[in-house]
Amino acid sequence: MAEAENLYARAAKAELAKDLDTAFRLYVQAATAFLNASREAAHPRAQGQARKDAERALERAERIKAVKQDLAPVLRDRFAPEEQQLVLKKGSVVNGVVAPLWATGTGTSTAVAAGKLVFSDPDGLLELSPEQKKAGVLWRRPREVFATDAKIFSPDLRPEDIVQRIVADCSLCASIIVCLLHSRTHDSEAALPSLHPRGPDGRLHISPTGGYELKVLFNGAYRRWISSPFGQGLRRFMVPVVIDDRLPFRPDGCPMCMSSRGRKDIWPSLVEKAYLKLMGGYDFPGSNSGTDIHALAGWIPDYLEVKSPSFQREQTWSRLVRGFSDGQCILTVGTDNRPPADRGLVNLLPAHCYAVIDVKETDDGSRWLTVLDSWLPRDDADLGVDALLEDLSLDDQSDDQRRRVINVAWDDACALFGSVCVSWNPGMFECRLLYHGVWRAAHLSEAGKDDSVHQILRLLLERPKGVPGLSEEVWILLTRHRTDTRRPSEFISLHAEYDDGHPDAPKSFADTARTQGVYTDNTHVLVRVTVPPSDASGTISLNASYDGPFDDVGFTVTAYSRLAMRWDEAPRRLPFDLRVSGALTAKTSGGNYTLPTYMVNPQYRLRVPPATTQQGPSGKTRIEVALHAPRDVPVNATAIWGRGERVFDLVQSDIVATSGAYTYGFARFSADLPQGDFTLAVSAFSPTHRGEFSLLVCSSRRVEVEPILQEGAGMFAKTVRGEWTNGADPRYALELPTPAQVKIRLQPHAPLFVKVALFPETGGAPLASSGAFTDARSGAATAQVALRAGNYFVEPMVDGVSRGDGTFSMVVYSSSAGIRLSPL
């Protein structure tokens, strides 16, 4: 309330001073602050007063708006604490389970810690999986099965003791195994799931009531899972317990959930139940260990597709062996959806996750992964799922026959497995920075660009002055919030680039011929940005994107660094914008600048008018260009010194500004431009990438954008294909039945120095020529000339120095129809 009243007082003072823009902005901010205060107030009278004050502030803002029509827009401060808190609160209901922030109640609940009553989860029993239903499981408490022998967590519990009992939760089982392995190996709880209650010594102990809760990192914050507020009134909402200790057992007493084979430790079973309650029940749709470990331990997920062209086998091994030995990473490996494979090592199940319990390099240079599976099938070739489940549910005898630890050479692992899920210790980094935002539907992006499905952030880095710098890595993690963990068809992408000293420095020309920022349906995307040694501060520009059918999807960006860093919170919305729509088709998708067809890409004349006042550096106009395309189309936008005319070949000296490497679904650049006409080119990485696009141009002053016609637009075209053989230049007869405007373009199919000329039928000086020999990617072209009706000949020529066999295409554009072009 104090903050809101201060804003209102400042607004009134600005209004008295006739500074209406400032007064309007402060009144709107005061109204927002009063509304936030009304939500937080505990007493109804205080809530009512705050709402009245909010109405009073809005009334003053409306009066100012009625008087001054050209008010500067009031931008929402997306970095404000209340805005960040609203995003986290929006992610507080997952699959119908309420998940308040852990900070709202870090102590252990009364129902968990003490009491004489046996606690039963008011949300009821979890949904069982088909395997459990088929086994006829019964819900029983551990003390009913194990009597007084039940234990919560023994110090000698080994990773090999944990066994999987449900087909779909292999990633969770492997995750708990590697977390337990790290705890035992390094005598640390850094990766261990935080289950409660705990005693005065901080150690986990059995709950006297049978109630437990799990601390998890989910939807951007650590949370505690409590019961749903729907159903039995407020009392149900206030029970801060995630689960009771009722577990699914077969009628013969065998646990039908994750358990410790041959032991009576219930910790694995309780962690699994708590996490799967969050995920919607034992009928778990599957996950990957990076996602599970991030929720259970807060470690940084790094999902690597082994079959991806970008997978770097040697570099990955170096990182893994170093990180694993130092205790900075834990990992699992997973198979793809192919049928079970037998490579002379072990039968591997499809779409299955395996825990890695050792990463080592021997003295002779051999590289090995030691892989543990909590469940492997028998050797039967035709083993079906029913038989696998039956084997899984047998008693705890013959352990060595059903559980295997195998050593796999790194090269074999890269052939056997489809993915490597690495989780990194966030403690490696001294600094951590978070931003919570919301992606809104694409159709809202015109009115609220800052809230669209492509969100731009800038991370400012600072090195200590006078201290010699080393090359550093900044890790940036994008996390999509999930309120329904079974929702399909949601894709995210993260693109990050380092700008040395200025956020809008021109991108490297060489970088524009590559792609990055692929969309994925994973929950997390991790990008590493290398910061070169420098005493100067730098900026990392981020683009966090979403593609899916849902509105208002929350996300969190977490930056990890050893350098000091902060978000650039300055509002950057420009007052003028215009949108142009177009399409990359079979005729207009020419690919990147290295291809001879680049010239056919959509291009626009961008006209920047003369400055009437100083706006920006040297009176220049600030321009921001955003290109939206389908998520499977890598695109680029480039401003060129082209005088507003079509550009046929792109070279470094012609570039004014570019979005850099081709990024999937979205490209962006900003620049300060002087007055004049520029050419704005839109392109996809390959001519086979096609789809509709939208070009949004925002500016500090009004600019004009209009399409540039294709070469030969409105003219008839005649195309021939030919070749140079035996060192001879071919000739073609050109017959014009009527007077016409004519232009000719010659394109070799391989890099050659060529030119083309048009001659009268009788020979002599050329009537039109492309000039000197050129090796331009677009080929050689004549100027457009006016010709009388009659006969002519065209000669495509190749330079004598590079003369040799080669093929070419030649197009003759004519303003009249009926021309004939034939070889002489």
Side-chain angles (χ1 to χ4, degrees):
M1 282 295 290
E3 177 188 357
E5 290 167 354
N6 179 50
L7 287 169
Y8 188 89
R10 289 167 55 196
K13 184 175 180 180
E15 185 179 7
L16 289 173
K18 306 299 182 182
D19 185 358
L20 299 186
D21 282 308
T22 300
F24 178 75
R25 173 175 56 84
L26 291 173
Y27 277 132
V28 172
Q29 292 177 357
T32 302
F34 279 125
L35 288 175
N36 290 334
S38 71
R39 299 187 188 101
E40 300 295 333
H43 197 280
R45 182 178 298 175
Q47 294 173 357
Q49 183 59 48
R51 285 194 292 268
K52 289 181 180 179
D53 290 338
E55 293 174 0
R56 179 164 53 96
L58 285 176
E59 182 183 356
R60 297 306 308 170
E62 289 293 336
R63 290 189 179 185
I64 294 175
K65 188 176 180 180
V67 173
K68 193 173 190 293
Q69 301 296 324
D70 57 344
L71 285 168
V74 177
L75 300 181
R76 180 179 56 86
D77 182 6
R78 54 182 179 164
F79 292 93
E82 59 270 17
E83 291 289 339
Q84 298 284 286
Q85 197 73 4
L86 285 174
V87 177
L88 295 178
K89 286 183 177 180
K90 180 178 172 59
S92 292
V93 178
V94 183
N95 294 328
V97 178
V98 176
L101 301 179
W102 188 265
T104 61
T106 56
T108 302
S109 66
T110 303
V112 168
K116 298 180 180 180
L117 297 177
V118 175
F119 175 75
S120 294
D121 188 347
D123 282 324
L125 302 172
L126 272 65
E127 177 70 21
L128 295 173
S129 70
E131 305 96 285
Q132 291 170 319
K133 292 177 180 177
K134 186 174 181 179
V137 300
L138 303 174
W139 289 95
R140 303 175 68 182
R141 297 183 184 269
R143 64 173 177 269
E144 297 172 358
V145 179
F146 303 134
T148 59
D149 294 335
K151 295 174 288 186
I152 185 70
F153 186 88
S154 301
D156 58 347
L157 181 67
R158 303 171 304 161
E160 295 85 353
D161 297 328
I162 297 177
V163 61
Q164 176 191 349
R165 301 276 187 172
I166 305 172
V167 170
D169 73 341
C170 56
S171 68
L172 178 58
C173 189
S175 299
I176 292 178
I177 287 173
V178 296
C179 288
L180 178 60
L181 172 71
H182 183 275
S183 175
R184 288 178 56 87
T185 304
H186 300 280
D187 191 23
S188 167
E189 292 195 4
L192 210 60
S194 181
L195 190 69
H196 293 255
R198 294 177 179 267
D201 58 355
R203 294 184 178 276
L204 179 66
H205 63 79
I206 287 185
S207 168
T209 66
Y212 296 87
E213 60 182 338
L214 183 69
K215 179 181 179 181
V216 290
L217 178 59
F218 206 80
N219 288 350
Y222 280 101
R223 300 178 184 273
R224 59 192 303 163
W225 304 114
I226 68 173
S227 303
S228 167
F230 309 106
Q232 299 178 5
L234 186 61
R235 178 181 173 276
R236 188 180 185 192
F237 175 74
M238 295 302 292
V239 179
V241 178
V242 62
I243 57 167
D244 56 37
D245 62 355
R246 287 178 292 179
L247 299 173
F249 287 86
R250 280 181 25 152
D252 61 5
C254 177
M256 200 57 180
C257 58
M258 190 187 307
S259 60
S260 53
R261 184 186 287 271
R263 306 177 61 91
K264 299 175 181 178
D265 295 85
I266 61 173
W267 174 80
S269 305
L270 295 175
V271 171
E272 178 197 41
K273 182 180 180 182
Y275 185 70
L276 292 186
K277 178 180 179 181
L278 167 66
M279 292 292 125
Y282 283 104
D283 189 15
F284 187 42
S287 181
N288 69 63
S289 66
T291 299
D292 299 335
I293 295 172
H294 181 262
L296 294 173
W299 282 36
I300 307 169
D302 189 6
Y303 181 82
L304 306 175
E305 292 188 33
V306 178
K307 304 301 188 292
S308 169
S310 61
F311 180 73
Q312 298 175 316
R313 180 182 298 192
E314 300 305 313
Q315 186 182 72
T316 299
W317 172 259
S318 298
R319 297 179 76 104
L320 292 184
V321 71
R322 184 172 60 251
F324 188 89
S325 62
D326 293 343
Q328 302 296 2
C329 78
I330 50 182
L331 65 148
T332 67
V333 290
T335 53
D336 53 27
N337 288 315
R338 293 179 298 176
D342 185 352
R343 303 292 180 90
L345 298 171
V346 66
N347 287 333
L348 296 178
L349 292 176
H352 191 60
C353 186
Y354 298 81
V356 176
I357 59 173
D358 198 9
V359 180
K360 59 187 176 184
E361 188 166 342
T362 60
D363 294 337
D364 62 358
S366 300
R367 303 177 298 182
W368 298 92
L369 296 181
T370 302
V371 177
L372 167 68
D373 186 19
S374 56
W375 167 42
L376 290 176
R378 295 170 298 187
D379 295 331
D380 299 354
D382 299 324
L383 197 61
V385 172
D386 290 344
L388 291 176
L389 292 173
E390 181 62 27
D391 180 62
L392 182 65
S393 62
L394 292 176
D395 59 40
D396 294 331
Q397 302 301 317
S398 304
D399 184 74
D400 292 338
Q401 297 179 14
R402 296 185 177 86
R403 299 178 50 76
R404 301 180 185 178
V405 176
I406 58 173
N407 288 315
V408 185
W410 173 241
D411 291 339
D412 290 334
C414 292
L416 285 168
F417 300 104
S419 63
V420 179
C421 291
V422 191
S423 296
W424 298 91
N425 185 358
M428 296 187 300
F429 300 95
E430 299 173 7
C431 300
R432 189 182 314 179
L433 203 60
L434 289 92
Y435 169 78
H436 311 290
V438 176
W439 288 303
R440 301 186 187 276
H443 66 271
L444 298 177
S445 59
E446 288 189 52
K449 294 183 289 296
D450 293 334
D451 295 329
S452 72
V453 292
H454 301 287
Q455 294 221 5
I456 308 299
L457 298 169
R458 289 180 175 86
L459 188 63
L460 305 180
L461 306 173
E462 294 182 2
R463 291 183 182 271
K465 293 188 179 297
V467 178
L470 298 175
S471 179
E472 296 279 1
E473 274 193 342
V474 177
W475 292 17
I476 302 164
L477 179 68
L478 172 64
T479 300
R480 170 172 55 86
H481 293 184
R482 295 181 293 168
T483 55
D484 182 347
T485 57
R486 305 187 184 217
R487 219 160 63 173
S489 304
E490 293 190 87
F491 300 86
I492 60 174
S493 170
L494 178 64
H495 173 216
E497 285 190 352
Y498 176 73
D499 298 316
D500 190 3
H502 193 281
D504 301 311
K507 309 295 189 303
S508 169
F509 182 60
D511 286 345
T512 61
R514 62 186 178 91
T515 62
Q516 60 185 23
V518 179
Y519 278 79
T520 177
D521 59 356
N522 285 336
T523 306
H524 307 279
V525 175
L526 178 66
V527 172
R528 296 182 181 90
V529 180
T530 300
V531 180
S534 173
D535 288 335
S537 60
T539 301
I540 296 177
S541 298
L542 309 175
N543 169 31
S545 300
Y546 170 82
D547 185 274
F550 304 102
D551 295 345
D552 295 338
V553 177
F555 68 92
T556 294
V557 175
T558 310
Y560 304 88
S561 174
R562 297 181 184 90
L563 302 174
M565 55 185 178
R566 59 185 175 86
W567 295 117
D568 182 1
E569 299 184 10
R572 294 181 176 272
R573 185 169 179 177
L574 298 173
F576 302 99
D577 60 69
L578 56 89
R579 187 177 293 272
V580 178
S581 298
L584 293 163
T585 66
K587 293 184 178 180
T588 62
S589 182
N592 66 77
Y593 79 96
T594 65
L595 302 175
T597 50
Y598 181 82
M599 63 181 183
V600 305
N601 284 309
Q603 298 184 17
Y604 299 87
R605 178 176 61 83
L606 172 62
R607 172 161 291 176
V608 179
T612 55
T613 60
Q614 290 289 318
Q615 301 197 21
S618 305
K620 295 182 179 179
T621 299
R622 185 68 171 176
I623 302 290
E624 292 184 356
V625 175
L627 173 61
H628 299 251
R631 70 167 183 269
D632 57 348
V633 179
V635 290
N636 167 276
T638 299
I640 308 167
W641 297 105
R643 301 186 301 277
E645 301 172 355
R646 179 159 289 274
V647 172
F648 296 92
D649 292 281
L650 189 61
V651 296
Q652 176 71 69
S653 58
D654 291 339
I655 293 180
V656 182
T658 176
S659 60
Y662 283 77
T663 49
Y664 285 82
F666 182 76
R668 176 191 173 276
F669 72 81
S670 56
D672 295 308
L673 301 183
Q675 79 171 81
D677 290 345
F678 302 86
T679 301
L680 183 58
V682 171
S683 61
F685 184 74
S686 166
T688 59
H689 290 126
R690 299 167 188 171
E692 296 182 351
F693 65 84
S694 175
L695 192 66
L696 179 65
V697 180
C698 303
S699 56
S700 58
R701 293 184 300 120
R702 292 192 185 278
V703 299
E704 298 176 10
V705 177
E706 61 181 32
I708 301 173
L709 297 178
Q710 292 278 1
E711 181 178 55
M715 303 178 75
F716 298 93
K718 189 75 173 180
T719 303
V720 295
R721 296 179 181 272
E723 60 181 337
W724 294 285
T725 57
N726 300 322
D729 293 326
R731 291 186 176 186
Y732 291 83
L734 174 63
E735 180 181 347
L736 295 180
T738 59
Q741 296 282 331
V742 172
K743 180 175 183 175
I744 305 169
R745 178 168 292 277
L746 170 67
Q747 285 188 300
H749 297 160
L752 292 170
F753 284 84
V754 298
K755 69 177 181 179
V756 63
L758 173 70
F759 296 89
E761 183 183 29
T762 56
L767 300 174
S769 172
S770 62
F773 286 99
T774 177
D775 65 344
R777 296 182 181 90
S778 61
T782 68
Q784 187 168 307
V785 294
L787 300 178
R788 297 188 179 93
N791 296 321
Y792 305 85
F793 74 87
V794 181
E795 185 173 0
M797 293 171 273
V798 63
D799 183 23
V801 176
S802 60
R803 182 179 297 280
D805 293 350
T807 59
F808 61 84
S809 297
M810 187 169 66
V811 184
V812 177
Y813 300 103
S814 170
S815 60
S816 62
I819 67 170
R820 294 185 179 88
L821 187 66
S822 57
L824 286 173

